[in-house]
Amino acid sequence: MIVQLIKKQLLLLLRNRIQLLMLLVLPIILIVILSTALSGFMQGDNPQLTIKIAWLEQQDETSQVDTFLENMNELGVSSDVFPDKDALHMTTILREDVFLSEELSSMIELHQIDESEKEKIIEDANYAAVIEVPQDFTLDLLQAMALEDNSVPKLELFLNQEQQIGTEVVESIIHNFNEMIVMNQFMEESNLPITVEELNNHDVPGELKHMEQRIPISSQAYYTIGMAVMNALYVASTLGFFAYREKEIHVFDRLIVADMSRWKFFLSVLISGAIVSFMQLLFIFGFSWLVFKIAWPSMMVFLTITLSLALAVGGTTVLLTAISYRINTEEIIGFFSGIIVSIFAFLGGSFFPIGELSPLIQQIGNLTPNGASLSAYIQVLQGAPFKEIASYIVVLLCFTVVSILLAVISYPKRGSKI
């Protein structure tokens, strides 16, 4: 009799073409759209950023350095105290070693201009900033450092607020350069036997270990899994609606009158939900294998996860059916389909890996059937052994058992009106 009931449930779904298309075609459409639209986000691609900066220097820096050394000599400080005169060319260091460094060369275009071009460049929207080095800037800076004078000169910075990212980059670079100068001066005054450059390049003692590298997955693979596990939950609501309609048209009552155990009916609902979900998952993953060439390293592990998720969906189906029978309305099924599934999809990472933003959300998401199965599928694609995904299988099986127990508790007791 159970086999006949399962067959009846499957025939009801096959005859409802709209629901069948929603369960099979909609996930594929979502996979194609999301994997194409968000491929750059998933693969960590960074947009090419070009920041144009104009550099205006009002006075030759070499003459300022010479003047500083002469002033120090008049104060009785020998020029031998400054063996590396190139290190005194502060603006040259900022321009050549920072803005025009190899690390920033692909991002920053620095153009040296003269006073006559200043107003035109400021009005040019293509430039993110204009950096103006005022008269005697280097001389005043060196004297302030040598004489411990608080009257430190400042660069004049003209920022284009329409290029927010570019202006923030420029401000950050200048701020970090200023901190480096302050730190270097502090170390010299404290007679520390190390410079800022040596500090940055200093090797920290310790043991070097190589972390295990996992295989990165494509956006097609991620959204295939994300949409598959999310839409599997809609199987529960679809079959739950069918089961409740059978109560409304008194099919369930006729089965009871025919002396068939009501538990056989609910067992058939559970098995039907598991079968439909299992076939739906195989269809979606089969499509991804044909179109996106997504192959599973271990077919046995893949089938184990798929079967565990299918059982969780079957447990959810019988739970929804029992609750709807208990409260005598199908609104709980609609609430699950419209609200609960969306919350599960968000927490489980079906739309994007939200777990990377918060460990707490990741832990909560892994307790949902779609979140646990998504994490398991992804780790299998990345080459993880079965022991690392066993915990997710346990979560799915526990979810199934808890759903069945809640269904038993929720089911109306004999003699109550349903």
Side-chain angles (χ1 to χ4, degrees):
M1 178 62 72
I2 292 180
V3 175
Q4 296 300 321
L5 291 174
I6 294 173
K7 181 180 178 181
K8 175 182 64 66
Q9 294 282 351
L10 298 179
L11 288 175
L12 284 174
L13 180 60
L14 289 174
R15 290 171 182 171
N16 193 319
R17 303 292 178 83
I18 295 178
Q19 289 292 341
L20 189 61
L21 288 175
M22 291 288 289
L23 292 176
L24 297 179
V25 178
L26 180 61
I28 292 175
I29 295 175
L30 291 174
I31 290 168
V32 174
I33 294 175
L34 292 176
S35 62
T36 302
L38 301 179
S39 60
F41 169 76
M42 285 299 302
Q43 295 170 6
D45 293 340
N46 295 320
Q48 184 62 37
L49 181 65
T50 302
I51 304 173
K52 294 184 69 174
I53 303 173
W55 181 277
L56 173 59
E57 199 158 354
Q58 296 288 2
Q59 185 179 4
D60 177 63
E61 188 175 37
T62 302
S63 61
Q64 298 179 64
V65 172
D66 293 339
T67 302
F68 167 74
L69 294 175
E70 291 175 2
N71 293 341
M72 290 297 101
N73 189 40
E74 292 177 1
L75 294 174
V77 180
S78 173
S79 59
D80 295 335
V81 177
F82 310 100
D84 186 7
K85 293 183 175 54
D86 291 337
L88 302 178
H89 292 70
M90 296 296 182
T91 57
T92 301
I93 294 174
L94 176 61
R95 184 182 68 247
E96 302 294 335
D97 297 343
V98 179
F99 282 108
L100 295 178
S101 64
E102 183 178 353
E103 293 80 3
L104 298 178
S105 60
S106 61
M107 180 175 63
I108 291 180
E109 290 184 10
L110 188 69
H111 301 272
Q112 293 185 257
I113 62 173
D114 54 40
E115 182 65 31
S116 62
E117 300 175 279
K118 176 181 175 181
E119 294 300 327
K120 180 182 178 181
I121 295 298
I122 290 177
E123 295 177 359
D124 191 339
N126 294 320
Y127 282 84
V130 175
I131 302 174
E132 181 176 354
V133 183
Q135 291 277 351
D136 295 328
F137 174 83
T138 300
L139 175 60
D140 294 340
L141 178 60
L142 292 174
Q143 291 186 154
M145 294 170 60
L147 303 177
E148 300 182 11
D149 188 353
N150 292 328
S151 59
V152 179
K154 296 181 180 180
L155 294 172
E156 293 190 26
L157 193 60
F158 302 89
L159 300 175
N160 181 359
Q161 297 302 329
E162 295 180 0
Q163 296 192 25
Q164 185 175 359
I165 297 178
T167 57
E168 289 180 356
V169 170
V170 174
E171 287 184 307
S172 177
I173 292 173
I174 295 178
H175 176 72
N176 290 336
F177 182 74
N178 180 66
E179 285 189 341
M180 184 189 71
I181 293 176
V182 173
M183 180 65 73
N184 197 27
Q185 184 180 12
F186 169 76
M187 289 182 172
E188 289 180 357
E189 293 175 354
S190 304
N191 295 320
L192 295 177
I194 188 173
T195 64
V196 173
E197 183 177 359
E198 291 171 342
L199 180 64
N200 293 332
N201 297 329
H202 187 63
D203 293 330
V204 178
E207 182 181 358
L208 179 64
K209 292 184 177 181
H210 294 281
M211 301 295 291
E212 180 184 359
Q213 295 296 317
R214 290 290 172 81
I215 302 172
I217 65 172
S218 63
S219 60
Q220 291 89 349
Y222 184 89
Y223 285 110
T224 293
I225 298 171
M227 293 301 101
V229 299
M230 181 189 75
N231 282 273
L233 299 177
Y234 287 116
V235 171
S237 59
T238 299
L239 296 186
F241 276 122
F242 288 168
Y244 184 80
R245 293 295 168 82
E246 289 189 332
K247 173 184 176 298
E248 285 190 325
I249 62 178
H250 305 293
V251 172
F252 179 75
D253 294 333
R254 290 196 292 270
L255 292 174
I256 299 301
V257 171
D259 198 27
M260 190 202 74
S261 170
R262 65 188 68 192
W263 300 115
K264 289 184 179 180
F265 174 75
F266 282 98
L267 180 60
S268 70
V269 172
L270 186 149
I271 298 175
S272 299
I275 292 175
V276 174
S277 176
F278 188 78
M279 298 304 295
Q280 179 202 40
L281 291 168
L282 291 183
F283 177 82
I284 295 173
F285 288 123
F287 169 83
S288 68
W289 175 72
L290 290 173
V291 177
F292 299 128
K293 308 302 179 184
I294 300 173
W296 298 91
S298 174
M299 186 57 64
M300 185 60 66
V301 177
F302 163 75
L303 291 175
T304 301
I305 300 171
T306 305
L307 180 60
S308 301
L309 175 58
L311 290 174
V313 172
T316 305
T317 305
V318 74
L319 175 60
L320 291 175
T321 303
I323 295 177
S324 64
Y325 276 39
R326 178 65 176 263
I327 64 178
N328 199 30
T329 178
E330 62 183 13
E331 291 182 1
I332 184 63
I333 303 176
F335 179 77
F336 175 83
S337 176
I339 305 297
I340 301 300
V341 172
S342 299
I343 294 175
F344 277 13
F346 174 77
L347 294 175
S350 291
F351 297 111
F352 61 95
I354 189 173
E356 295 181 358
L357 304 179
S358 170
L360 177 61
I361 294 180
Q362 186 173 24
Q363 292 177 5
I364 296 174
N366 286 336
L367 295 178
T368 64
N370 58 299
S373 52
L374 183 143
S375 296
Y377 279 130
I378 288 178
Q379 291 195 21
V380 170
L381 279 181
Q382 292 178 327
F386 179 78
K387 64 179 181 180
E388 292 191 17
I389 66 167
S391 59
Y392 302 118
I393 303 296
V394 172
V395 169
L396 291 171
L397 295 179
C398 288
F399 187 90
T400 304
V401 173
V402 171
S403 297
I404 294 173
L405 292 177
L406 291 176
V408 172
I409 296 173
S410 303
Y411 186 75
K413 300 297 184 290
R414 184 179 294 275
S416 62
K417 184 177 179 180
I418 62 172

